[in-house]
Amino acid sequence: MKSLKIFILIFSLSVTAAKAQFTKAELQVSGLTCALCAKSTEKALRALPFVGDIKTDLIRNTYLITFKNDVPVNFEQISKKVQGSGFSVNSLKATFNFANTKVAENTFNYGGDTYRLLNAADKSFTGDVNFTVVDNGFAPKSVSKKYLGQVTDAAPASGRVYHLAI
């Protein structure tokens, strides 16, 4: 009976102690011309350690990526896999779960990287929030220029700075 109570306590703590993380992303790739191109890109993305599942939409040239729990996501690796397959990222929209995440001055840290919210106006975030990565290489040049035109960032202590728009 004692072990049953301990099990229930541990289980309930693991269910309620949600962790902040990216949960899913919609990746649009430009340059795909056939199903074989899409399949080779999907295979490259599946090799990433943080990718749980991928659903491909050939009509829109998009991949709906579901990320594994408790494994930090690295957008730079996603971009490199797409480029290594001979294509480029047209847009990357990601969902972040803000459980236990502190946002200060429109910035938060995750997985060794810094994320700067460009149009958040000091909002408070809880639960799942959708973002678009607007850095060069993750968005069309016109979108990057619109958001990053006047942005200057200090170099982070580690990792890189990603710029996100809501």
Side-chain angles (χ1 to χ4, degrees):
M1 188 64 159
K2 222 182 227 188
S3 62
L4 179 61
K5 288 180 184 177
I6 292 171
F7 173 77
I8 292 172
L9 177 64
I10 291 171
F11 180 75
S12 65
L13 287 175
S14 66
V15 170
T16 59
K19 291 186 178 182
Q21 73 173 51
F22 284 98
T23 56
K24 61 184 176 180
E26 181 180 291
L27 173 69
Q28 185 174 38
V29 176
S30 60
L32 296 175
T33 57
C34 66
L36 289 175
C37 298
K39 194 67 173 168
S40 69
T41 303
E42 179 182 341
K43 184 178 179 182
L45 291 169
R46 282 189 187 277
L48 294 170
F50 49 83
V51 172
D53 190 32
I54 299 177
K55 295 189 187 323
T56 306
D57 181 347
L58 292 174
I59 295 171
R60 295 177 41 224
N61 290 338
T62 59
Y63 298 89
L64 181 59
I65 304 169
T66 304
F67 299 119
K68 292 179 182 175
N69 291 332
D70 301 327
V71 181
V73 173
N74 185 315
F75 293 140
E76 195 66 35
Q77 288 182 6
I78 292 173
S79 178
K80 285 180 181 178
K81 288 292 186 180
V82 171
Q83 291 173 8
S85 296
F87 307 102
S88 59
V89 174
N90 190 47
S91 73
L92 179 63
K93 299 175 183 179
T95 302
F96 188 80
N97 183 333
F98 273 91
N100 303 319
T101 300
K102 181 181 178 185
V103 178
E105 298 177 10
N106 290 326
T107 303
F108 67 95
N109 295 305
Y110 168 77
D113 294 318
T114 302
Y115 295 85
R116 183 168 177 198
L117 309 173
L118 298 179
N119 59 347
D122 290 323
K123 293 180 184 175
S124 174
F125 298 103
T126 58
D128 287 345
V129 179
N130 298 320
F131 298 107
T132 301
V133 180
V134 296
D135 291 304
N136 291 322
F138 293 98
K141 291 187 187 302
S142 61
V143 172
S144 294
K145 185 176 179 181
K146 172 185 172 184
Y147 284 103
L148 302 176
Q150 301 298 321
V151 173
T152 55
D153 291 313
S158 66
R160 71 166 274 181
V161 177
Y162 289 98
H163 299 88
L164 309 175
I166 297 176

